[in-house]
Amino acid sequence: MIPVSEPDLGALERSYLLDAFDSGWISSRGAYVERAEDLLRTLTAAPHAAVCSNGTTALHLALLAAGVGEGDEVIIPALTYVATLNAVYYVQAVPVVVDVLDSTWCIDPAAVERAITPQTTAIVAVDLYGQTADYRELRRIADEHGLILIADAAESLGATLDGRAAGSLADISTFSFFGNKVITSGEGGAVTTPRADFHTAILQLRNQGNHPTRRYFHDIVGYNYRMTNVAAAILTAQLERASELIAQRRRVVDEYERLLAADERLRGQEIAAGAAPTPWIHSVRLTGRSAVERDAVITALAERGIESRPVFPLVQDMPFVPAAQRTPTPVAAAISREGISLPTFPRLEASAIAQVCQALRDVLSSFADGE
């Protein structure tokens, strides 16, 4: 079976992991935590970086540091992983779900502007599948309305927009280092920001609200969102290899686009002007197909030894979302209905990519023939 994703772990990760183990510093203090944060600052060009336990806790920390709380409205895109939505609920805020652009699949700035009310405090943009959102326009909107701009960059580490790196495109940016992400530590996350006040709050919040100078004195409610030195050791190795890992992902996507670009039955994400995405999981739309037909394609590919998966369902369709928050988002609905994600990872060979593409074409042809 060709998997959708597979981590690229090698001798460097093993060496650093064993070094952390042998040092005895296996919890949330140790040299690798600091090294990983240093590397993140370099890679993102953000003045401040803090690692944490996962991408969801990174989002929670970002919202808390920004002062988002009960009754505040937070604008988010319909097409994203559920963690973006969950983090808004964690702080007892109200998610305002808006549509995405038909081109990049990222949050639509015009829809954001229409959704702003006196209760709006923040915008969370999502760099879907490694494509950066339109931070030029989102920055203008946020500044004009006095809003905090947060980037959910879980899938875009290493991407750039107008030469600026993901992690430095918003007031606060968050990352995920889950096992299938561009860079992994198994489980892990990070928050980057240009603002020292946000960074100070994040450091305290992730460490049980511990006072910065008085040990075991907690002057705010905090959380245990720390990353272990063991996880940070793997992360450090991955960050040192970031340029290699990202280049290999771009090679994989370039090959997919070379083989599939002429197929009118498929439509991919468009790259915005000035953007250089970091491909996470290469995804395409099966033009005009229903969700049932898309799922049948996924099943047929699995029967041919190829794992694939549907594009994210709409967050407002989750059963726990109140009816008042179930905003219609027709563009996101079409992408979600038609979208399929294909195997994408650094060690995926050209022969395997060709196998995936041929199988996809064969399955689509068989459907057209009525089989």
Side-chain angles (χ1 to χ4, degrees):
M1 176 73 77
I2 300 173
V4 164
S5 183
E6 185 176 270
D8 187 324
L9 302 172
L12 189 64
E13 287 83 357
R14 179 180 175 84
S15 172
Y16 287 1
L17 179 62
L18 291 175
D19 182 54
F21 178 87
D22 291 339
S23 75
W25 293 98
I26 61 171
S27 293
S28 55
R29 296 179 65 188
Y32 285 106
V33 173
E34 295 179 2
R35 285 175 65 178
E37 290 175 341
D38 285 342
L39 288 164
L40 278 167
R41 282 189 286 271
T42 299
L43 185 58
T44 64
H48 306 287
V51 294
C52 57
S53 52
N54 58 62
T56 307
T57 58
L59 282 165
H60 190 196
L61 288 170
L63 290 166
L64 289 168
V68 179
E70 185 173 2
D72 291 337
E73 292 180 354
V74 179
I75 299 173
I76 67 172
L79 202 59
T80 181
Y81 182 56
V82 72
T84 312
L85 174 71
N86 282 340
V88 176
Y89 283 134
Y90 292 169
V91 296
Q92 301 181 64
V94 179
V96 177
V97 182
V98 302
D99 216 340
V100 301
L101 295 168
D102 190 58
S103 53
T104 63
W105 307 4
C106 294
I107 195 166
D108 182 350
V112 169
E113 196 151 31
R114 289 193 298 269
I116 293 171
T117 74
Q119 286 71 49
T120 306
T121 58
I123 304 163
V124 179
V126 176
D127 297 344
L128 196 71
Y129 298 118
Q131 170 72 265
T132 51
D134 185 355
Y135 290 101
R136 309 180 199 94
E137 188 63 9
L138 292 170
R139 179 77 275 163
R140 179 195 66 78
I141 294 168
D143 289 347
E144 185 175 316
H145 295 274
L147 307 177
I148 297 295
L149 178 57
I150 299 173
D152 181 343
E155 302 161 10
S156 65
L157 186 66
T160 61
L161 179 65
D162 298 333
R164 296 177 59 200
S168 63
L169 296 169
D171 297 310
I172 312 178
S173 301
T174 67
F175 295 95
S176 169
F177 306 124
F178 185 64
N180 64 8
K181 290 299 189 293
V182 174
I183 297 295
T184 184
S185 57
E187 282 279 9
V191 187
T192 62
T193 179
R195 290 184 50 167
D197 57 337
F198 286 167
H199 181 61
T200 298
I202 288 160
L203 294 180
Q204 186 173 15
L205 286 161
R206 77 171 179 181
N207 189 30
Q208 299 283 20
N210 198 62
H211 191 276
T213 59
R214 290 180 64 184
R215 293 189 68 185
Y216 304 114
F217 182 78
H218 307 262
D219 53 350
I220 63 169
V221 174
Y223 305 84
N224 183 358
Y225 284 172
R226 300 167 301 210
M227 176 182 281
T228 68
N229 195 48
V230 172
I234 300 172
L235 178 60
T236 297
Q238 289 268 292
L239 289 169
E240 289 182 359
R241 298 178 57 214
S243 60
E244 166 205 344
L245 296 171
I246 292 168
Q248 289 285 20
R249 284 182 174 272
R250 287 176 174 154
R251 170 193 61 81
V252 169
V253 169
D254 286 348
E255 186 67 4
Y256 270 127
E257 292 180 344
R258 185 182 73 83
L259 294 174
L260 296 176
D263 195 324
E264 295 181 354
R265 298 170 297 182
L266 305 172
R267 180 181 170 197
Q269 276 179 288
E270 296 176 22
I271 298 175
T278 292
W280 177 44
I281 296 181
H282 186 59
S283 302
V284 295
R285 294 171 65 174
L286 308 181
T287 308
R289 296 287 183 177
S290 67
V292 171
E293 291 172 316
R294 186 271 318 278
D295 291 346
V297 170
I298 291 172
T299 299
L301 288 175
E303 292 169 352
R304 290 162 170 78
I306 297 164
E307 183 185 16
S308 59
R309 70 184 212 186
V311 162
F312 295 125
L314 303 184
V315 290
Q316 69 267 35
D317 287 350
M318 301 301 165
F320 57 83
V321 176
Q325 296 168 15
R326 293 177 178 268
T327 316
T329 54
V331 175
I335 297 168
S336 177
R337 180 176 65 245
E338 299 173 354
I340 182 172
S341 297
L342 303 174
T344 313
F345 50 92
R347 295 187 184 182
L348 189 63
E349 297 180 354
S351 59
I353 299 169
Q355 182 183 340
V356 172
C357 293
Q358 187 59 55
L360 180 58
R361 286 192 294 264
D362 290 347
V363 169
L364 291 174
S365 295
S366 72
F367 281 24
D369 294 339
E371 293 183 14

